[in-house]
Amino acid sequence: MSNTESSMARWYKHGKALIDEISNSKPEASEAYIWFMGQHGFAVNLANVIFHIDVILNDFVDREGKSRREYPAPFDPGEPQRVDYVLCSHNHGDHLNMKTLLPLAAANPGARFVVPAPWTAILKDAGIGEERIIPARSGEEIKLKGPRGDLQILPVPAVHTKYIQEEGEKNDQGDYTSLGFIIKGEGISLYHCGDTWITPPLVEELKARGPLDIALLPINGTDWERTATNCIGNVSYLDAAKLAKAVPVDLVIPSHYDMMGNNSENPARFAEAMYALCPQKRYHVSALGERFIYKKD
């Protein structure tokens, strides 16, 4: 096995094969195709519209010049591909990173970018045209035109950088700086929560917005050691399972447990928690670059 092949061994599919599979995908009206792209990143084809959600394709290098990633990106961000909308949940480098977004924007001129309103200036100042940027605000539905009909993105507040509070962080204009997204199309609803803690207001909002078909939830959690080194935490595997039990959702896919060695988790713990707390609900632990097909009955 060559060095290149060895470095990509963790990917079920990568490179041109993965790009072509995503770009050429055509789900039926009752289906959604979902690819796990590492960390909290997913490529999703819903209603024949392709979304990249928190997909990061650049490297992270430490002070010694060594990669911080546990595995390489599946392909270069400057590769031409089919991507209609790029969603970034908040302004952290493993969710919104111009080293991914700029080459992706240049190689794919039809792609548009949905980011929390406080961060639109970052994209604009970096050279992405303002006409391609869609500001996202909590409670303001974003309507999209797809080849098979209308779709909607509903931004949902996230509580991320400050632990144990019920209100998400806002800028001076009152806009949330961290968001999740509910995407709806052809009768299927998919929720990507971004990075967040689980709070009573979030649970109540998801109940009100439900039923949800799919939830993409982080499980990396936090602890005193990571907090002491300024590593911002997240939903734990146990809280993710408790959320799945509390809200009307059909399927949960865990994420945000694998890319950074200092901020990881074993997804088997999430599977065990789901089995113990809500065995009647579905979950799927995805391999990197694996296509998962959700079919609604």
Side-chain angles (χ1 to χ4, degrees):
M1 182 181 292
S2 68
N3 289 338
T4 300
E5 290 173 333
S6 176
S7 68
M8 301 303 291
R10 287 187 61 174
W11 286 92
Y12 178 79
K13 189 169 287 188
H14 59 84
K16 188 176 185 300
L18 179 57
I19 291 173
D20 288 348
E21 183 175 77
I22 296 171
S23 298
N24 298 328
S25 60
K26 294 181 180 179
E28 299 293 332
S30 59
E31 296 177 336
Y33 289 2
I34 303 166
W35 292 263
F36 180 42
M37 304 293 282
Q39 195 74 335
H40 206 9
F42 291 87
V44 175
N45 189 335
L46 178 60
N48 209 24
V49 176
I50 294 179
F51 300 87
H52 279 197
I53 312 173
D54 282 355
V55 173
I56 296 298
L57 300 170
N58 56 275
D59 199 1
F60 297 88
V61 180
D62 64 19
R63 293 179 181 179
E64 298 177 353
K66 298 179 180 178
S67 177
R68 294 173 55 210
R69 294 183 63 132
E70 293 292 303
Y71 49 82
F75 49 77
D76 187 274
E79 291 285 347
Q81 58 190 291
R82 180 181 161 214
V83 51
D84 300 301
Y85 294 93
V86 178
L87 280 58
C88 302
S89 62
H90 62 290
N91 186 29
H92 284 162
D94 56 338
H95 299 263
L96 187 161
N97 197 306
M98 299 314 301
K99 292 181 180 179
T100 286
L101 299 187
L102 279 179
L104 188 148
N108 304 281
R112 299 182 71 191
F113 299 82
V114 180
V115 300
W119 310 124
T120 56
I122 293 177
L123 275 66
K124 181 180 177 182
D125 292 346
I128 296 177
E130 187 173 8
E131 73 283 357
R132 301 178 67 183
I133 304 170
I134 302 173
R137 296 181 173 88
S138 173
E140 294 186 8
E141 185 180 87
I142 300 170
K143 296 182 179 181
L144 310 176
K145 291 289 185 182
R148 301 205 304 240
D150 295 341
L151 296 91
Q152 300 84 38
I153 299 175
L154 182 66
V156 176
V159 183
H160 183 32
T161 59
K162 295 180 181 179
Y163 187 43
I164 310 179
Q165 62 174 11
E166 292 192 357
E167 180 69 16
E169 299 83 357
K170 298 180 181 180
N171 68 357
D172 293 341
Q173 287 70 47
D175 291 321
Y176 287 96
T177 58
S178 297
L179 293 170
F181 302 102
I182 297 174
I183 306 172
K184 295 184 176 182
E186 294 189 327
I188 294 178
S189 59
L190 178 146
Y191 172 51
H192 183 288
C193 71
D195 279 3
T196 191
W197 313 108
I198 304 303
T199 64
L202 177 60
V203 172
E204 292 308 310
E205 175 146 8
L206 295 178
K207 287 180 179 178
R209 301 294 181 186
L212 302 168
D213 295 302
I214 306 160
L216 311 175
L217 303 180
I219 63 167
N220 55 302
T222 192
D223 52 45
W224 67 268
E225 186 178 30
R226 282 179 282 183
T227 301
T229 58
N230 201 31
C231 181
I232 299 171
N234 220 329
V235 180
S236 70
Y237 70 88
L238 184 57
D239 273 351
K242 288 181 177 180
L243 180 66
K245 180 180 179 182
V247 303
V249 61
D250 183 35
L251 170 79
V252 179
I253 299 178
S255 62
H256 212 315
Y257 56 77
D258 62 330
M259 187 184 289
M260 303 298 182
N262 68 328
N263 194 15
S264 60
E265 183 54 271
N266 183 347
R269 293 178 175 173
F270 170 76
E272 183 180 38
M274 288 291 292
Y275 183 78
L277 296 177
C278 46
Q280 79 282 11
K281 292 200 172 183
R282 296 195 288 167
Y283 62 89
H284 179 75
V285 178
S286 294
L288 291 167
E290 171 197 4
R291 183 184 66 178
F292 178 82
I293 299 177
Y294 177 86
K295 187 172 182 65
K296 190 167 184 177
D297 297 331

